[in-house]
Amino acid sequence: MSPLRFNHVMIRASAGTGKTFQLSNRYLGLVSQGAAVDQILASTFTRKAAGEILDRVLVRLAEAAVSDQTCRALADYIRDSSLSRPRALELLEGLVQNLHRLRISTLDSFFSQIAASLSLELGLPPGWRIVEPSADDRLRTEAIHAVLAESDSKTTLALMHLLTKGEATRSVSDQIRDLVNSLYGLYLETTAKAWQALPRAKGLSGQELEAALQQLASAPPPADKRCVTARDKDLERAQQQDWDSFIAAGISAKVAAGETSYYKKELDPQLLDAYRKLLQHAKAMLVARLADQTEATWQLLEKFDAHYQRLKLARRALRFDDVTRKLSGAAFAGQIEQLSYRLDSRLSHLLLDEFQDTSLLQWNVIRPFADEVFGGAPGRSSFFCVGDVKQAIYGWRGGVAELFDVLGDTWSALQHQALSCSYRSSPAVIETVNKAFENLAGSPVLDNFSQAVQAWAQGFALHSTARSNLPGYARMHVAPRAGDGEKQETITLKFAAEEVARLAREAPDCSVGALVRDNQAVARLIFELRQRGIQASEEGGNPLTDSPAVTVVLSLLTLADHPGDTVARFHVSQSPLGPIVGLDDHADATAAGRVSLSVRRHLLNHGYGPTIYRWARELAQSCDGRDARRLMQLVELAYRYEDDATLRTRDFVHFVESQKVEDPTTAQVRVMTIHQSKGLEFDIVVLPQLDVRLSGQPPAVVVGRPKPTQPVNFVCRYANKELQALLPREVQQIFERQSGQAIRESLCVLYVALSRAAHALHMIIAPSSSSEKNLPATFAGLLRSTLGDGRKAEPGETLYEHGEQDWHVHHSGKAPEAVDKELRTASATASNSASGAQSPPAFKVALAPSLQRRTRGLDRQSPSGLEGGETVDLAYLMRLDAAGALERGTVFHAWFEQIEWLDDGAPAEATLNDAALRLGASQAQAARWLKEFREMLARPATRACLMQSDYARQAPWSAAGALAAGWDAAELSYEVHRERRFAVRDGDAILTGSLDRLVLIHREGRLAAAEVLDFKTDAVKADQQVQLEAAVARYRPQLAAYRRAVAQMTGLPMEHVFARLLFVEPGLVASV
Amino acid sequence: MTVRRRFLNWNRPALVSAADYLFETYAADSTLALDRLIVAVPGSRAGRRLLEILVQQSAERSLALSPPRIVTLGNLPEQLYASAGHFVGPLASQLTWTEALREVGAARLKRVIPELPPADDPSRWLALANLFGQLHAELAGHALRFIDVAECGQELEDFIERDRWLAMAAVQEAYVARLQAAGLADRQWARLQALERGACGTENEIVLVGVADPSRILHHMLEQVQDRLTVLVHAPASLASRFDELGALQVAAWQAAAIELDDEQIVVVEGPADQAEAAVQALASLQGKYSAEDIVVGAPDSRVVPYLEQRFEQFELPCRYADGLPAGRSGPFRLLSAAADYLDGGRFADLASLARHPDLEGWLLAALPREIASGADRLSELDRYYSEHLQAKLTGRWLGGRHAVQGVEALQAAVDRLLGEFDGKRTLAHWADRVARLLVEVYGREPLDRRHASGRIALEACKLLRETLMEAASLPDGFSAEWRAADAIRLFLRQQENEAIPPLPQHAAIEMLGWLELPLDDAPALIVTGFNEGLTPSHVNSDLFLPGGLRRRLGLNDNDRRYARDAYALSVLAASRERLTLIAGRRTAESDPLSPSRLLFACDRPTIARRTLHYFGGGKTPVERKVPRSLSGGRAQSALPIPQPKPLAKPIESMRVTEFRDYLACRYRYYLGHVLKLGCLDDAAEELGPEAFGSLAHEVLRDFGLDSDASRLTDAEAIRKRLDAALDRAAQKHYGKDRLPAVNVQIEQLRLRLGAFASWQASWAAQGWRILFAEAPIDERRASLLVDDRPMYLRARIDRVDMHDATGAIVIFDYKTSDSSRPPDKIHRKKGVWVDLQLPLYRHLAAALQIERPPQLGYIALPKSLSDVGHYLAEWSEEELAAADEAAAKVIRGIRNQEFWPPTSPPPAFSEPFLAICQDSQFGGLLADEEDRP
Ligand code: SF4
């Protein structure tokens, strides 16, 4: 292979500039130059994106294979002038025939593959699997219970106290759960040391404190009543050790701020000194409390971790993060050899998408591969990554955009490229984006965060667009003001809903994306849109409980678990399901108990899917299209749930509540959070929730790292501003860095939001509050300063506008990507049909009528399986002592099989012995049983059956009077079959098996009768008539089947076929 | 003599042609005597079908059939050699592997398993044993021992795992040796030995039907019996070069083979639901030409099956999935597994699960004393007992009144009786016997009806279990280790839990089959779903033990071989079916991307390009949707109204003072809660909820208040002591010793709040206040509000009334134990409007307590923030209070007029219990701004 023409490259690609395109170029380039596909890893973050990359790669090649022009273009992009159509075809063939070796996947799935092939080395339990979040939640709950159960309540209490800052909160489990959910990930990434890193200050000793208090009490305050009162209050606070208040208010607060006077009265030096001492002590105490809280947090997490890990191992249940963490901890450097061996390929080319979202742990796993690539022979391996630090909105999930910068420092061979020409947006949108971000640094809103903002602004290069003819429009619009008792946020959303509805109507062929910050706003907006006749779909979807039809089913399931739940009873009994399941009065406890049992019985015997489907079908009669669709999705969930089903129906209810299911129709209008919109585009984007703070919520803890790409080495519970002021400078800096980080991430979110639009961008903000003095530090405030002129936002005003408002008139309707025909027809029908009963055209699948007599798939029946008839006595079936008996029985059957007739003597000892050993009997067993066998053969009834000379005399056919009357023994001859296999049609079944002994009786050379003799080794006693009768009764169906079989095989009429049981132990014969 | 190789026409189904061959060769006079024949087929289904054809055709030709011995490939080897001794069963094998693993010693084992499981964790050792057992079976199937891998691997360039395989070989040797010592034989090993001794032979004739891919060991064994062998190859003779002399595939030839398929036969869709829809569409396109039993649906991807079943049911298409129900989901397995959990720790939650097993419930009804079985249902009793007492376990220390406990006690007693013999550590044989008895006890009360679903499932599940139990009952002497019952039960269950319980045979059903069964099936119409890469063909690249490279070197079942096998299979299907449709999806239900099978690209290059564009291109022409997407809604608008209130039978004549706020918040929800008295009941609590926490606090404070000396104490410490003691008493009374651990912590939290209260109380008392009443109940007709000249009687339990010694002033207090503390006005009025009337209404109750002066009103709050513990007085003016009375009058009029409609929207806080009835969930998370109550 000649060296590849590809360098190591890192691309910073702004929104809409074609990341996937670049990545697929690279991929195809590698392939065209002969790189083996299993040596190329192309990874991304979502499964959807992974699917898209694969599609892109294959389709572009296929297009090149069929069109000269496309082929030339592709040749250019991948810088391979030799690419011709036939060559493209050849490459394509190579790819599709190696689909199983392609490594185009999410990082998670690549990591899982590694972990699966190294699971023992990683200490993963054999048979581990990735579980659903809801299953993981159950494990967490269990672990929390275990934490509580294990430690005595005093210890837990002490910890809880520290965590809740001395408050006596009622709920314990919830507290711990919140803590775990928000901090467990961090715990796993850190050592105990990081949680102990907050330096503690030295406080006063007991005596010193006493003295300082004395001093404060005795030093003369300024002669002003207010000063005296203030001093007294301060003293009281100090005596009560209420240090929070001590530093926050009164004279002490002033002194803390460096002042020496109060109400313009200079403070006595003695007094000042006392204050200073006490302040120092207060500070030490408060910092110590913070440190204790932080440590307590760690301790609790540590306890949790021990139980949680144990449970995970036992259940073999992992999450993707666990896998990443395990791998990250395993440090592969130096083990690439082994890894490649197990993976069955050595990675030579890395193509990493959305690089800004890579977490440190993930990077730890990839890094050794990257080292290999960079260390490899030039031209034999390559590194490629693409991403956009401006879209780094997954910091909360561990994404570390700074990795981008580190790469360049680590590997000098890495070339940098930047893409800022959009293939998505209209000039109006692009120019708005530019305007919003180019002057960030000048915005008064961001004054306090200048460092963070500067860093961000530096990464922003002015965008251009390749679609300069695309019509478009951008506007910032102020919503009406909320009235008394109304929430402004709600009013803004309502106004936005109006706007969305209007835009959707005006441009019916355009897709509209309404992007918000949180799920509550998604729900609200969907609701408001529905009120306005717009069926919007939700990215990611909502739990199915948004359909009243679904909740009826869930109530029934709740009732199954809790028949005493009268709410569920009422709900079911008043619904169309009530009469179906037999519950029409919610007060009827007996009926409820009955329904509960019957529901659970059904679920157990038929499964969740079919059971719920039955109800859904009935309920659908009362449903409109949407509710019926939701019901259908419930049924699908139910089918999917089967593997995890428990005895508790409430587990299924929780499962349904936790699953977000998208409404299957893709509507013109889609509502989602900005995070969910990443990677998507819309013709029109509406942003109605811009009045949220840029700094976000205060975090639970603040973390520090020596460098952004290094592990956390400092953790501290969040402290408020007053408390922060007491902390050492370097700790304060960590707090500041973290808030800077939050601001940067907010800017990313805003950037993503603005850059989703192809044509039009509508920003909707709340009016300024009457008390507004400065621009608020919100998204809206920022946009008002960069896009607008910073003036107050009055209701109804347009603060910014760019492009043509009626752009869509000029826009020749491009086919909307996602307009749901079904939905439209459905709503059309709905409005047309007055009665409301809409009958969809019946779709029927016709099958040819089945044959009366089936030919295929007949049931298989062995006569021995018919023991007992159609019902089975379980007690008999479950006799375990039968195990030994079975073996013994097998040997005796084999021995009887050796006998044609006994007249010439019994079979040779050696033959019998061999047969027994072949069947697995021990020598000792064989010897013992042989003795018994001899005894059996001596029993008169047995002999009579097996002696040809005696046979006719007592055989049932001869005793059967009419048949044998007039037969002469001399005319008869016998044909003996042993272990004769048979297979005959018996009704709708095939009867098959083998006959222990079949005697065919020929009379004058013609078959006249047949007899089946079945040997039984049951331990029946000769004198136990009842026992014998029971056994005979049990075997009767079996022997009847034998008779039917023989009749068919031989063509004899049934009356000429006979059967007898020979109980060989007691030597009893019974005709049946 | 060498093998007879016959090529069967592949335009007909293999089995039909094979039957023809048998008739041609063996029919004589009036008989078809095949009893000297062993016919081997790939799977048991094919075997059954062959027999069917033979029976059918001999009947048609009036031949008396002596059927051949029909065996599956898996069982064929045992027909070819004489085995000595007993084969080890799956259970004993697994246990032996465990022993073998431990025997080789940690040092060596660590080369394979760096982190050994703890010695006392049987389940993880068993999991490892399984891993070894599987590997052993796979390799032995290819006539390889672990040691062979260590040796052969060395020929690989990058083989770096010799040491690992040597260690594994040591385990394998130990395994074999242990078996031998126990007088047992391993089936795989026995084959290997027979092969190596050249000891394969048979007196019968052997006919192989459609056996294209025998395991290597079988191939070698068959070589030793060549002269008795006839191979029926399902392919035209023109393709002879693609098969070896035993009829096995020549891998390379099949890799290069083109597979003839029309584009119309291939459908590529999105998710599994779409696949099901495409299948229905494909059925429809058969246009009634085929009956159900003439159609087979292939399901290589079992995850698609539920979607198929559901869709088929929707269109009333009878279908039958032979792999039906995994035994693990059947009643008996679930019962035992729940029993094991309960035995493990006796936890309440596990008892609650077990009690919900419908089969157990059936048994209970019979086992419980009549008067209890016929009373209220056990589940509600359990729920109630749990909610009231929050027990982690039921240990016989019953709390609360006799009557309430009876049902629960009887239930637990019955269950404990059933599981009574399951303690201690005993041998597996012992536990097997107990388990069998338990099953008989629960399921054997009446004969099981094998024609009915429930009977059949229980029966088949018991039969599966019986296999394991039988093995356990007769384990040889070497296996007498003692187990805890729960571990033993789980071990038993694991043996068979993945076995399928087939559904009842059904006339005229569309069969759903796995991929492997399809080539030998003979239904004329076939629809294959899940035709995706990774399934058809499957592949292994990376692996824990046998990655692709090593597999290739060892000649194991590598990717090429898998491809060849499926390429052949698909060629057979394409040639032998009248109608064939292949359906592939592009993603799983979990949205993992899928690719269509590589086999679809075994065609000329232009077709490859076309198909690529079609299957991977986003611009697919949307297929017109003929199949209705889902359940069709019956109406334009759902007719699932919120139930309207019904007229009351009796007018409401009295109200609790706390009810007013609920009516003010939402009259409909008031109706549900207070008129219909609907309420949730469950056993989900993990700790004390706000109400229980409040009640506990109230009880302690009441005890304190009722003690007349106590209420005069001014020493905080003394007060605290009394409260502490009262708290301990109350906690013990309600929650006993077996309470949930979280409750312990909560009680301590409450103790802290009470401590802070003690300080407040001390200084309050020091100011001259004493407690006049504590928890004064006012019910029956002692107090009322006159509205429109009619009294509405008020009911309440006043937490506390204090009087000042000196002034005689009166304060009526309500204790507040919610986490946050807010003054009365904040709680009673929102923006000047009365939303709660509790305290103002207390004024009207004062008379009933013989209080004459107008009382002050207030809260004593015990919030989480201890510095906020104390009293909060309301300072309402007379006019304001009058407005409150007016508000109350309005409520009363509303209630008298039965104004219970409509529900408030959006829903007020704390209306979750009625969420479903009121259809609130379309608001999603809109139930915001919750405040802490009560
Ligand atoms: S098997 Fe099904 S149909 Fe039969 S009784 Fe049980 S739940 Fe009912």
Side-chain angles (χ1 to χ4, degrees), chain A residues 47 54-55 58-59 63 89 93 96-97 99-101 117 119-120 141 145 148-149 157 161 167-173 177 313 316 338 341-344 485 487 520 524 527 530 545 548-549 561-567 570-571 576 586 600 605 613 620-624 627-628 632 635 639 642-643 645 648 650 836 840 843 846-851 854-860 865 867 869-872 874 877 880 883 887 980-982 990, chain B residues 35 48-49 52 66-67 69 86 114 124 127 159-161 164 288 290-291 293-294 306 310 313-315 329 334 352 356 361 377 379-380 383 432 443 447-448 450-451 454 457 466 470 505-508 522-523 533 539 541-544 547-550 586 590-592 595 598 605 616-617 626 628 630-631 633-636 638-640 676 678-679 681-683 686-688 693 741 746 748-749 752-753 819 831 864 913 917 921-923 925-926 929:
Chain A
R47 313 188 237 215
L54 173 67
D55 288 4
L58 292 175
V59 167
E63 281 171 349
L89 207 45
E93 185 177 33
V96 292
Q97 289 182 346
L99 280 175
H100 63 302
R101 314 248 341 147
S117 45
S119 58
L120 293 179
T141 301
H145 286 188
L148 288 168
L157 189 69
H161 261 250
E167 289 180 332
T169 336
R170 173 185 54 80
S171 170
V172 178
S173 317
R177 182 169 304 120
L313 268 183
R316 308 177 195 181
Q338 186 181 17
Y341 164 78
R342 298 256 181 106
L343 286 178
D344 198 30
K487 280 213 292 197
Q520 276 192 23
R524 182 82 202 200
F527 172 74
R530 210 179 289 161
T545 48
D561 220 359
H562 304 291
D565 184 324
T566 45
V567 172
F570 179 77
H571 191 209
H586 72 269
R600 280 179 283 117
N605 287 331
Y613 179 69
Q621 311 296 321
S622 316
C623 287
D624 61 11
D627 282 327
M632 201 57 215
V635 172
Y639 271 104
E642 221 76 75
D643 276 338
R648 301 296 305 252
R650 70 155 182 224
F843 173 90
L847 298 177
S850 290
L851 294 173
R854 53 203 295 208
T855 55
R856 202 192 299 277
L858 301 178
D859 200 7
R860 198 90 358 189
E867 258 176 45
E870 295 294 0
T871 58
V872 179
L874 199 62
L877 182 76
L880 300 188
E887 195 172 294
R980 163 76 193 258
R981 274 197 302 279
F982 65 89
I990 289 215
Chain B
D35 42 356
R48 289 203 303 271
R49 181 64 190 134
E52 248 168 42
S66 292
R69 183 185 299 272
H86 259 311
R124 283 178 64 198
F159 186 67
I160 48 176
E161 305 212 310
R164 188 170 179 237
Y290 298 94
S291 63
E293 63 268 38
D294 281 341
Q310 185 274 309
E313 175 151 9
Q314 185 182 344
F315 294 105
R329 284 193 211 151
R334 287 253 160 94
R356 280 167 171 83
E361 188 165 338
D377 72 282
L379 298 185
S380 301
D383 284 349
Y443 289 94
L448 293 170
R450 59 173 123 209
R451 288 162 307 182
S454 59
I457 293 170
R466 183 185 58 172
M470 286 250 215
Q506 204 183 335
H507 184 32
D522 62 337
E533 191 49 41
H539 57 246
N541 298 322
S542 55
D543 192 60
L544 187 51
L550 184 58
R586 290 302 321 276
E590 289 77 29
S591 296
D592 278 316
S595 296
R598 269 180 289 157
R605 286 183 177 169
F616 292 95
K626 297 191 194 124
S630 62
L631 283 172
R635 309 166 173 268
S638 290
L640 296 165
L676 296 183
L678 302 184
L681 176 65
D682 61 27
D683 59 349
E686 299 182 310
E687 56 184 21
L688 298 173
F693 189 79
Q746 291 182 292
E748 294 314 311
Q749 301 282 55
L752 290 170
R753 294 194 195 184
D819 272 357
K831 294 193 197 290
K864 65 178 179 183
I917 297 177
S921 32
Q922 53 183 329
F923 284 90
L926 287 192
D929 353 301

Side-chain angles (χ1 to χ4, degrees), chain A residues 872-1026:
Chain A
V872 179
D873 174 5
L874 199 62
Y876 180 73
L877 182 76
M878 298 302 285
R879 292 160 310 149
L880 300 188
D881 52 0
L886 200 70
E887 195 172 294
R888 181 168 177 274
T890 318
V891 170
F892 279 89
H893 269 85
W895 285 345
F896 276 103
E897 193 193 334
Q898 301 284 334
I899 303 170
E900 183 170 13
W901 293 109
L902 272 181
D903 304 60
D904 304 331
E909 191 97 354
T911 322
L912 295 177
N913 198 47
D914 277 0
L917 296 187
R918 249 204 320 278
L919 287 171
S922 68
Q923 191 59 61
Q925 278 172 325
R928 194 168 67 242
W929 291 342
L930 255 174
K931 207 164 135 257
E932 293 173 30
F933 184 59
R934 299 265 170 247
E935 287 163 15
M936 287 175 189
L937 291 187
R939 307 235 152 83
T942 309
R943 286 190 73 78
C945 291
L946 297 176
M947 295 286 286
Q948 192 172 3
S949 47
D950 256 7
Y951 179 59
R953 192 173 47 76
Q954 42 74 56
W957 50 268
S958 70
L963 180 62
W967 287 8
D968 179 350
E971 300 167 340
L972 303 180
S973 63
Y974 307 118
E975 185 185 335
V976 178
H977 295 266
R978 289 157 290 169
E979 288 292 319
R980 163 76 193 258
R981 274 197 302 279
F982 65 89
V984 296
R985 174 87 184 231
D986 186 29
D988 261 352
I990 289 215
L991 200 53
T992 172
S994 76
L995 305 167
D996 285 354
R997 184 177 174 89
L998 170 68
V999 184
L1000 299 177
I1001 299 102
H1002 297 275
R1003 179 163 173 256
E1004 298 180 327
R1006 290 186 45 194
L1007 184 60
E1011 190 208 15
V1012 175
L1013 191 65
D1014 199 46
F1015 303 115
K1016 294 292 179 204
T1017 47
D1018 298 33
V1020 277
K1021 298 255 159 55
D1023 52 354
Q1024 297 267 329
Q1025 195 55 31
V1026 186

